[in-house]
């Protein structure tokens, strides 16, 4: 994008070629800001954003293996013959779980393989509600936009109805634009409670997920439970939304009270769609964690067939396949 058409990543205003801060919202900018253009609405977003500041759609091409992001998939149909293979061509979310740790999850998964019956878990009621943990403190607002945030918050406090909702949505977009998904999540959760729509709850879940990735320890568990709660509200209205169910499964990995749900939800996704990319990838990780190396290798080879060699996920699967090969070679020589 040329300097003549540069825009502010926070508010979308056009920037002067020599701009250091946006004249409209005060956000610090570089002389030639790099932006990501949303495929859904055309809004310019800052590099590093996962979701469009304007419409909330997932943005492609950023940290391709992070949760909620859409890997590029080749346009050639996969050779896999499983039912629903065409679904591999749609945009899906892919989460990469770091190998190592989470042994309890792996053990529980092994149990389900033995006791699941006919290769699948039966439907079950909602998981027990865990004890609520306090959320961590959100990060600070950059000084350059503090006045703008304060002004929006003041308007929200005095307005009602649709006018208040409009300002809340503007505040969420601004907070995302300045890199504060933590504060944006809290506002979006209020919006979701008002609208009670799957779109609003999903965006809340995505923002809490981003916040969860910023912290460790008990704070991560607290935020994982907020992610789960938001995604559960989506699934109450859209029970066949497999992408949300797969994302929720990952959040369960950070909830020590309900790790079994990570396995159960992943399996439910695959029972509905055997070619779901994220669920297949995560299943491979689980198999690797419990040392079922042959099955894990087959799982990642399946992922490669589904996404095609031009996808970043293909390369990530290849890295894991090399790891499996080293593990098998080492084990055979001992």
């Amino acid at each position: 994008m040329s300097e003549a058409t540069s825009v502010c990543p926070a508010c979308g205003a056009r920037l002067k070629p020599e701009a250091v801060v946006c004249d409209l919202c005060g956000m610090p900018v570089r002389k030639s800001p790099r932006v990501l253009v949303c495929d859904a609405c055309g809004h310019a977003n800052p590099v590093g954003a996962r979701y469009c500041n304007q419409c909330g759609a997932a943005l492609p091409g950023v940290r391709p293996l992070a949760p909620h992001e859409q890997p590029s998939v080749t346009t050639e149909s996969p050779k896999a013959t499983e039912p629903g293979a065409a679904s591999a061509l749609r945009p899906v979310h892919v989460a990469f779980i770091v190998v190592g740790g989470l042994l309890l999850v792996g053990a529980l998964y092994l149990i389900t393989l033995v006791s699941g019956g006919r290769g699948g878990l039966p439907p079950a009621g909602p998981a027990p509600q865990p004890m609520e943990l306090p959320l961590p403190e959100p990060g600070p607002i950059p000084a350059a936009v503090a006045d703008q945030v304060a002004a929006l918050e003041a308007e929200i406090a005095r307005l009602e109805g649709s006018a208040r909702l409009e300002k809340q949505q503007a505040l969420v977009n601004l907070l995302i634009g300045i890199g504060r998904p933590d504060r944006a999540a809290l506002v979006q959760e209020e919006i979701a409670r008002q609208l009670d729509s799957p779109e609003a709850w999903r965006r809340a879940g995505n923002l809490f997920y981003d916040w969860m990735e910023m912290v460790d320890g008990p704070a991560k568990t607290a935020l994982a439970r907020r992610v789960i709660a938001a995604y559960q509200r989506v699934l109450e209205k859209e029970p066949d939304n497999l992408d949300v169910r797969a994302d929720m499964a990952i959040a369960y990995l950070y909830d020590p009270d309900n790790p079994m749900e990570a396995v159960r939800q992943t399996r439910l996704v695959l029972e509905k769609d055997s070619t779901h990319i994220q669920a297949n990838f995560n299943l491979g990780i689980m198999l690797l964690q419990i040392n079922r190396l042959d099955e894990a290798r087959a799982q990642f080879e399946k992922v490669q067939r589904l996404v095609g060699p031009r996808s970043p996920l293909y390369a990530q699967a290849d890295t894991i396949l090399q790891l499996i090969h080293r593990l098998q070679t080492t084990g055979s020589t001992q």
Side-chain angles (χ1 to χ4, degrees), residues 279-291:
N280 274 290
F281 195 92
N282 293 341
L283 177 59
I285 294 296
M286 293 177 184
L287 290 168
L288 182 57
Q289 288 173 348
I290 59 174
N291 205 35

Side-chain angles (χ1 to χ4, degrees), residues 93-116:
H93 297 152
V94 175
F96 176 72
I97 308 304
V98 177
V99 178
L102 300 176
L103 296 179
L104 175 59
V105 175
L108 289 170
Y109 176 73
L110 180 59
I111 293 171
T112 63
L113 288 178
V114 176
S115 63

Side-chain angles (χ1 to χ4, degrees), residues 23-329:
D23 292 336
L24 181 60
C25 71
M27 182 178 182
V29 295
R30 290 175 292 183
K31 290 185 178 181
S32 298
R34 294 171 59 211
V35 298
L36 293 171
V37 177
C38 176
D39 292 336
C41 71
H43 183 72
N45 297 273
V47 170
R50 292 188 188 172
Y51 309 100
C52 175
N53 299 346
Q54 183 68 30
C55 70
L59 296 172
V62 185
R63 293 186 300 167
L65 293 179
H68 313 308
E69 290 176 343
Q70 303 177 16
S72 58
V73 179
T74 59
T75 55
E76 300 173 356
S77 298
K79 296 181 181 179
T81 58
E82 293 92 347
S87 65
L89 300 179
R90 71 183 187 280
V92 294
H93 297 152
V94 175
F96 176 72
I97 308 304
V98 177
V99 178
L102 300 176
L103 296 179
L104 175 59
V105 175
L108 289 170
Y109 176 73
L110 180 59
I111 293 171
T112 63
L113 288 178
V114 176
S115 63
R118 296 189 297 176
L121 290 172
Q129 292 299 315
M131 178 183 65
E132 186 169 346
L133 298 173
L135 295 179
E137 285 294 322
I141 298 293
V145 293
D147 289 344
Q148 185 182 1
V149 170
L152 276 172
E153 290 174 338
E155 288 189 86
I156 291 169
R158 69 176 178 81
L159 293 173
E160 296 180 354
S162 59
R164 183 173 189 271
L165 183 62
E166 182 180 349
K167 293 299 181 182
Q168 285 179 307
Q169 290 170 333
L171 179 57
V172 168
N173 293 338
L174 175 60
L175 291 170
I176 294 173
I178 62 174
R180 291 263 55 100
D182 44 4
R183 292 180 177 272
L186 296 173
V187 181
Q188 181 62 37
E189 187 178 48
E190 293 183 18
I191 294 173
R193 286 172 179 159
Q194 295 174 66
L195 297 178
D196 199 26
S197 68
E199 295 80 14
W201 280 115
R202 183 172 187 175
R203 195 181 195 196
N206 290 346
L207 288 168
F208 276 117
Y209 205 128
D210 287 345
W211 188 1
M212 178 182 71
E213 290 191 310
M214 297 164 59
V215 302
D216 291 303
K220 186 179 285 289
T221 297
L223 289 166
R225 291 173 180 174
R226 251 349 207 275
V227 173
I228 292 164
Y231 287 158
Q232 283 177 336
R233 297 299 293 270
V234 177
L235 293 173
E236 287 171 6
K237 304 172 187 301
E238 298 179 350
D240 292 329
N241 192 324
L242 301 185
D243 291 338
V244 168
R245 192 175 294 278
D247 282 342
M248 184 175 70
I250 304 305
Y252 271 115
L253 290 175
Y254 299 106
D255 183 0
D257 289 347
N258 291 305
M260 181 66 177
E261 277 299 296
V263 175
R264 191 178 80 89
Q265 296 296 334
T266 300
R267 293 188 52 137
L268 288 175
V269 171
L270 290 174
E271 286 174 6
K272 288 283 187 180
D273 180 3
S274 65
T275 67
H276 192 278
I277 295 174
Q278 179 186 358
N280 274 290
F281 195 92
N282 293 341
L283 177 59
I285 294 296
M286 293 177 184
L287 290 168
L288 182 57
Q289 288 173 348
I290 59 174
N291 205 35
R292 297 174 71 121
L293 300 183
D294 288 337
E295 294 173 64
R297 184 183 68 249
Q299 197 66 36
F300 288 112
E301 288 172 348
K302 178 181 178 182
V303 169
Q304 289 186 320
R305 292 196 302 272
L306 291 174
V307 301
R310 287 179 288 177
S311 169
L313 188 58
Y314 187 99
Q316 187 64 258
D318 193 61
T319 299
I320 298 175
L321 285 169
Q322 293 177 37
L323 169 63
I324 293 172
H325 177 72
R326 290 197 298 270
L327 290 172
Q328 290 181 316
T329 302

Side-chain angles (χ1 to χ4, degrees), residues 6-28:
S6 295
V7 297
C8 174
C11 69
R14 291 186 180 277
L15 298 171
K16 298 176 182 178
E18 69 278 6
V20 177
V21 299
C22 175
D23 292 336
L24 181 60
C25 71
M27 182 178 182

